[in-house]
Amino acid sequence: MAKKPELTIEERLQALHNLQVIDTDLKEIEILRGSLPEEVRDLEDVIEGLNTRIERMTNGLNESKADITAQNNRIKESETLIERYKRQLDEVRNNREFESLNKQITLESLEAKLSLKKIREIEGSLEAKEEAINKVKERMTSRQGDLDRKRADLEEIMSKTDEDEKKLLRKRERAVKKVDARLLKGYDRIRTGYRNGLSVVTVERDACGGCFGKIPPQTRLEISQANKIIVCEHCGRLLVNDVIAGIAAPEPAKAKK
Ligand SMILES: [Zn+2]
């Protein structure tokens, strides 16, 4: 059985760094889409809320209109009754009947007046109600415009990034196979544990590129030699040198083999 050739520490670090580059690109796509799906959902909620409000307000308006109809019917009823009582007045036989009919007539005219007063009141509020509904409708139209734009943006980003994401994921599949299984575990744990998704970092200005904690000179030397796995004592991120990170050319002295 042919055994896989043992990778040098430098090669292992290189493989991990390659994976980190892919994961950082994937993270960027995630950030790019980041807020848009949420913003679209938020706007959909807002519009749904406004719709419910318009519905409720319209129901209120229709109820007011129905109230006016009801009060108008009530007035007609009173008028009919008053007419009937007046006809009956011609046929009264005694004072008691006369008084009783007159009392009814007074009562019904009072009822009619009351209904008329209610109608005026309701009518007075109709305009304000209609105006309020129109305002909410205006707001909804404007929010709907926002939603349409954001939806279009999201679709565009999705269509643009979808292909890149697929490519990166295929690339990641290949890259991950080259990474030492034990190192991968720690790599994933740290990468998902930090918001910036960085697990493999370089030394920048004598400090860890992930947490900016100071790196002692001896450790920096070991990092540059790349024959040991070195993690930041402050944050646990894996530290690689600039050559592995591809931001510096290998030193002539190192190119001995
Ligand atoms: Zn650190």
Side-chain angles (χ1 to χ4, degrees), residues 208 210-211 232 234-235 237:
C208 163
C211 73
C232 169
H234 310 286
C235 69
R237 288 182 174 94

Side-chain angles (χ1 to χ4, degrees), residues 40-96:
V40 166
R41 269 196 305 277
D42 283 352
L43 273 172
E44 282 169 347
D45 284 351
V46 167
I47 286 168
E48 203 188 305
L50 289 174
N51 255 327
T52 310
R53 210 158 136 199
I54 290 170
E55 209 174 292
R56 211 176 47 228
M57 290 167 94
T58 307
N59 284 344
L61 183 71
N62 289 338
E63 267 169 35
S64 295
K65 285 177 180 170
D67 275 352
I68 291 177
T69 309
Q71 294 298 339
N72 268 324
N73 287 339
R74 184 76 195 76
I75 291 172
K76 267 183 212 134
E77 259 172 55
S78 291
E79 282 168 353
T80 311
L81 281 171
I82 289 168
E83 265 172 49
R84 191 199 295 163
Y85 295 146
K86 279 184 177 164
R87 275 198 310 273
Q88 285 174 355
L89 272 180
D90 298 336
E91 297 152 20
V92 287
R93 285 160 301 197
N94 55 50
N95 222 25
R96 204 172 55 84

Side-chain angles (χ1 to χ4, degrees), residues 194 201 207-213 215 231-237 239:
Y194 289 111
V201 294
C208 163
C211 73
F212 309 111
I215 311 281
V231 296
C232 169
E233 60 176 356
H234 310 286
C235 69
R237 288 182 174 94
L239 290 157

